[in-house]
Amino acid sequence: MDTKAVFAALYSVCEENANFFSGGAKGSQGDAARRLVETMKLIQEHARSLEPVVSGFAAVYHHFDFDPHIPANGYRSLVKVVRCCILHIIQKGHYITANRRNIFFRLAHNAAEMEAYCNALCQLRALLYLAQRMLHDNHHGNLFFHNESGLSESFVREYSSMHKGCFYGRCLGFQFSPAIRPCLQTIAIGLVAFGENYRRHQSGIGVAASSLFTSGKYAIDPELRGAEFERITQNLDVHFWKSFWNITETEVLTSLASMTSTQVKVNRALSVPAVPFDLPLTANHRASVTIAPPSAHIGIAPVQMRLISYDLREGQDSETLLSLARSEGGAISLSLGMKTKRLPSSSCLLIHFHGGGFVAQTSKSHEPYLKSWSQDLGVPILSVDYSLAPEAPFPRALEECFYAYCWALRNHHLLGWTGETVCLAGDSAGGNLCVTTSMRAAAFGVRMPDGLVAIYPATLLTAYASPSRLLTLMDPLLPLSVLSRCLNAYAGNEPQTEVQVEKVSTLSLVRRDTAVLLRDFRQGASNWIHSLLDSNRASASPSTAAERPPGATDPVRKSISEASISSPHADPPVASNTSEFPSRKLSVKSQTCQDLGSHNNSTSHSAPLLSERIPEDVNFFLSKDADPSMSRDLSSVAIPPPAGEEGSELEHSREFPLGFEPLRSEQLSEMEMKSSPVVKDPFCSPLLAPDSMLKGMPPVHIVACALDPMLDDSVMFAKRLRKIDQPVTLCVVDDLPHGFLSLSQGFVLSSPRRTHPRSHASTASWNGPIGVCRSLLGKPVLSSSAPLRKGRLLSGGGLKLLMAQA
């Protein structure tokens, strides 16, 4: 896209409309006209400062791509969002030009629209300045800053104070595909309505009903929605997000999803007893290793799974499998009728780990697309319901996923699988668990999976800053405050439980509030009468305050908005002993971190604990030698850090050039990026794993989103694997947000970028994650010349592609 032409069109449309509305109308029309003129001039001012920055980035961001055929990194994403915002302003300006003489033209509405996009452009200007800071320090193709201090702290500080509501109001989802914007608006309206009623602790039906009634005002008033969205995302703890993200698992929504999704013959929830068993070593089949049951944090407990199969296959109706089935309160989902045809066992199995930030959701939330995958692939799928943080932080989820993987290898005859080919697939947190489960399989010396499909995975769970993570300032599904709370919960830095409030029904709330009102009225009347009868008692009027313990208050209902106003930080109080959670993370010894070289040829043994030795400090950056041409290119765009002593009060005001300051929020966040040695564990952040742990990995196929804050995680991990000659494929889809897989039933994909044979993987068309799995599992794939067309659903033929390489 021609940058000069875009900015020229912006200057032209702003100048034309500013001149037209400068006539000086009176009344409300005059006020709206003045607002519009001022906004147009301010947009031009921002654009004049942004044009050289955008042109500079366009000249250098190719240095950070995975390869020339996959142009994707956080710097590109930031520039694309800026251009998208400018194009929306130009489109809106042309609309105003064409309709401003119309009698039905709403001048105030269009002025508000322009003001919203002007505010968004201002904040994007601030993000590009921060990205220029990163260019100064992140040379040699690296996308992450070298440590958690300095720039990372500046980013967190800026996020806490910068205004973000403009991105959640009228501008919500402007950077994404038009097909997904209505879905994002629905999610945003539901979020703020749910947040308003969350602290009332009504019954589930009461919260749903109250949210439904209050959602109307947020649909009508986008400014109110943006302000409430910003307030909620900055101040609520991880328990709120667990509750909100688990809405999809309520009985009504799951029943609706079940009716509209693909019908399968087998859909059974399994509860596998946690008992140790032996698996043979790949290096010596006569030797074996003991797979211990998961035990970290919450002790030994059954591992929950879900078996989904489009066809009923041999073993899936066995008495042994049925004895492991757990009831979900619904109809039996395993077809055992006489007319049901039992097919032979499949040669392939797909093991799935769901996303949800390590804190929310289960396989039931991801069931619709898993059913579609099972039909398209023609293979059974085993989805693991691992334990969630903060109640079960790292390494509990990894222990359960690895145990489930090993159990599937040992009990393939129960799953309708011959035991030949197995592939792991997962999105977000599940993508992380796919990689780390494979690493743990290598550590134990057992059979490795034949391939991995990691969809927008989280490969670095530290506070390292990167250009794509700047997108958390505007992302509606993954704001930085939410991301940090999820990662802190997985690292064991978040309280396990929230402060409980009495849970009452709506009728009980009415009765209670009426009783409180009558009590106050009665006491007030009594005090007034006594003051008339005895003036000496006026100052000593009876009060119920003396009857209550210090600090006690009436159990009045309080919405999230009210709570966030009264308290700048709505998290539950944390004990003063800061060592509580780090000491708890290994309260029960686990076998998560294993020494890769510890295996011998004994008949049965367990690997020693890596937790007993100091973790290795891994340098995951790609190059230490400066490239003169690259350094010369970057020096023309990058800006040095602000001058002054570190930690001084003046440093914050000099983060940006003189004469510019981004919009600041009235509701400041108390967010902290807590540092923990857990997040630097290679089994927690695989990007930090040494080369010795990554060598020998199966083919890894990464699906990333160009506008995802976690994009740089995928790009850098793919670069690491390629550097050590590991087979890796990177696919980047445009115009979609993080978490698009869970929304796949409601919208269509845009055309993705495809990999190139030099990316260590033969390529064909990529028709969604389903094509990747189909290829890995050896299923027929589509023609490599057939691109993905708009209108093809995510469940369409795509995981098929990369599985054939296994």
Side-chain angles (χ1 to χ4, degrees), residues 668-792:
L668 301 182
S669 172
E670 296 290 333
M671 183 187 66
E672 297 180 2
M673 297 301 290
K674 302 174 184 176
S675 179
S676 170
V678 173
V679 297
K680 295 185 179 181
D681 190 309
F683 289 96
C684 189
S685 297
L687 185 57
L688 299 180
D691 292 348
S692 59
M693 296 182 69
L694 296 178
K695 287 182 177 179
M697 290 272 290
V700 178
H701 309 282
I702 303 173
V703 179
C705 307
L707 300 179
D708 180 9
M710 309 298 286
L711 169 65
D712 291 338
D713 292 54
S714 298
V715 175
M716 285 295 293
F717 191 62
K719 286 183 177 183
R720 285 255 2 239
L721 294 175
R722 181 182 59 184
K723 182 182 178 183
I724 59 176
D725 294 323
Q726 282 296 116
V728 58
T729 302
L730 175 65
C731 263
V732 180
V733 296
D734 290 322
D735 307 327
L736 293 179
H738 184 90
F740 70 81
L741 197 60
S742 298
L743 307 174
S744 61
Q745 303 302 312
F747 63 93
V748 297
L749 283 176
S750 60
S751 298
R753 304 171 181 136
R754 295 186 297 277
T755 58
H756 189 268
R758 284 183 292 178
S759 302
H760 298 264
S762 61
T763 58
S765 64
W766 187 89
N767 296 316
I770 187 68
V772 179
C773 285
R774 190 169 182 83
S775 178
L776 281 177
L777 294 174
K779 302 294 181 180
V781 298
L782 301 178
S783 169
S784 60
S785 62
L788 176 67
R789 300 185 301 273
K790 279 184 178 285
R792 181 184 295 276

Side-chain angles (χ1 to χ4, degrees), residues 85-98:
C85 183
I86 292 174
L87 291 176
H88 274 80
I89 293 174
I90 294 174
Q91 181 184 17
K92 191 66 181 177
H94 286 317
Y95 172 83
I96 294 174
T97 302

Side-chain angles (χ1 to χ4, degrees), residues 524-555:
S526 176
N527 294 342
W528 179 70
I529 293 174
H530 282 295
S531 66
L532 290 178
L533 297 178
D534 187 357
S535 59
N536 294 331
R537 298 179 58 185
S539 60
S541 57
S543 173
T544 57
E547 302 173 2
R548 295 194 302 266
T553 57
D554 292 334

Side-chain angles (χ1 to χ4, degrees), residues 239-272:
H239 300 283
F240 168 80
W241 299 103
K242 287 173 71 76
S243 300
F244 179 71
W245 288 338
N246 285 332
I247 287 180
T248 56
E249 303 198 15
T250 57
E251 185 175 352
V252 175
L253 293 182
T254 53
S255 299
L256 180 62
S258 179
M259 290 187 294
T260 57
S261 60
T262 303
Q263 299 302 309
V264 295
K265 297 294 191 303
V266 180
N267 182 8
R268 293 302 294 162
L270 307 176
S271 181
V272 177

Side-chain angles (χ1 to χ4, degrees), residues 429-460:
N432 173 287
L433 292 170
C434 285
V435 176
T436 54
T437 297
S438 298
M439 291 167 55
R440 198 171 189 210
F444 271 76
V446 300
R447 172 185 173 179
M448 296 281 283
D450 296 286
L452 308 182
V453 182
I455 306 166
Y456 41 84
T459 63
L460 185 63

